[in-house]
Structures are given as structure tokens and as C-alpha cells.
Amino acid sequence: MCYKDCFLMGKHIVYFICYIHGILYIYDMELKSTDYARLIQYAAQKLHMVRLNKTQINKILFYVYGVYYAETNNLLFKDDSPKVWPYGPVFPIVNKKINPDEIITSFPKDVLYEFNKHSKALELVKTAVNAMYNMSALSLTQWSHQE
């Protein structure tokens, strides 16, 4: 049987203690680029009943990532960063792992716990999705090429 207890250690990390057969395991949870990409998908699906394509997800994530950094001086996540590709900034891990056809219905409890600690990031996602959900991939690509 696994007993979990969690506590905050730093800005984006939750540590879990798990006892299995008398052995103590400690591991941490940090939000990843794919967590935020899925949150963007979820917001578009729940707020506007639309599915975003990979370009839209990447561009909205790029906006959220940049604004979050500009306003907090902290990275939104550490596992991926935008790369310069021909059609604008792309998060390679997100681009590879996200399925734009997935209908997001829920998130694991540990991810929800982390999201809820970052109201600034949640508000940025909501604002960005509301502003960009109906923009085409082409118009978002053109926007991301502006200086």
C-alpha cells in the first residue's frame, strides 16, 4: 500500500513521500511544458468548444511562456524552451508529444494541485486562449514573426 503526503519545496516543486512495504520513496513533481499545452487545449475545449492544432497550441504556449517570464522573472517550466523553426517558435517536446485530437477531460490530482498554486499562469492561459482560440495557424505564425 502506498501512502502519499505532499508538501511544497520551492516555487514549482511538490515532493511526495510514498511508503511501500516499509521503504520510504521521495520524488518530486514539477509542471512540464506538456502540462501547460494540455491546459491550453482544455481551456479551448471547455471555454470555446474548439480543438486547437499543434501550431495554435505552440503559439499560445509561446505567448504564455513569454509573458509569464516578463512579469515574474521565472520560467513557466524547465523541461522545454521555444526553438526557432521556419514557421516561428516551437516547443519541440510539446510538438512531439501533444495530440491535438485529444479531448482533455481531467488532469491528475498532483498536476491540479500545482496548477492551483500558480494563479498568474492560469490567468495568462485563460487570457491567451480567449484572445487567440479563433486565430488561424497562419495568422498566429505571422504574429510570432513580428518583432
Side-chain angles (χ1 to χ4, degrees), residues 60-96:
I60 293 171
L61 184 58
F62 176 68
Y63 172 84
V64 172
Y65 184 86
V67 172
Y68 186 83
Y69 183 76
E71 292 184 0
T72 68
N73 205 31
N74 291 307
L75 294 175
L76 189 59
F77 45 80
K78 298 175 187 165
D79 71 313
D80 202 359
S81 61
K83 305 297 185 263
V84 179
W85 285 16
Y87 294 103
V90 172
F91 293 87
I93 293 172
V94 167
N95 205 55
K96 182 177 181 180

Side-chain angles (χ1 to χ4, degrees), residues 17 23-24 39 90 108 115 133 146:
I17 300 173
I23 300 171
L24 174 66
L39 181 63
V90 172
F115 279 146
Y133 79 93
Q146 295 175 2

Side-chain angles (χ1 to χ4, degrees), residues 11-12 14 29-43 61 64 68 76-77 104 106-123 125:
K11 197 152 186 120
H12 292 270
V14 174
M29 194 280 173
E30 188 169 307
L31 289 173
K32 298 184 178 346
S33 57
T34 51
D35 295 321
Y36 281 102
R38 291 183 79 242
L39 181 63
I40 288 166
Q41 288 178 278
Y42 178 82
L61 184 58
V64 172
Y68 186 83
L76 189 59
F77 45 80
I104 311 290
S106 65
F107 291 90
K109 286 183 181 182
D110 55 346
V111 172
L112 288 174
Y113 179 84
E114 278 295 295
F115 279 146
N116 285 322
K117 292 190 312 185
H118 304 287
S119 59
K120 178 69 173 172
L122 291 176
E123 191 58 38
V125 167

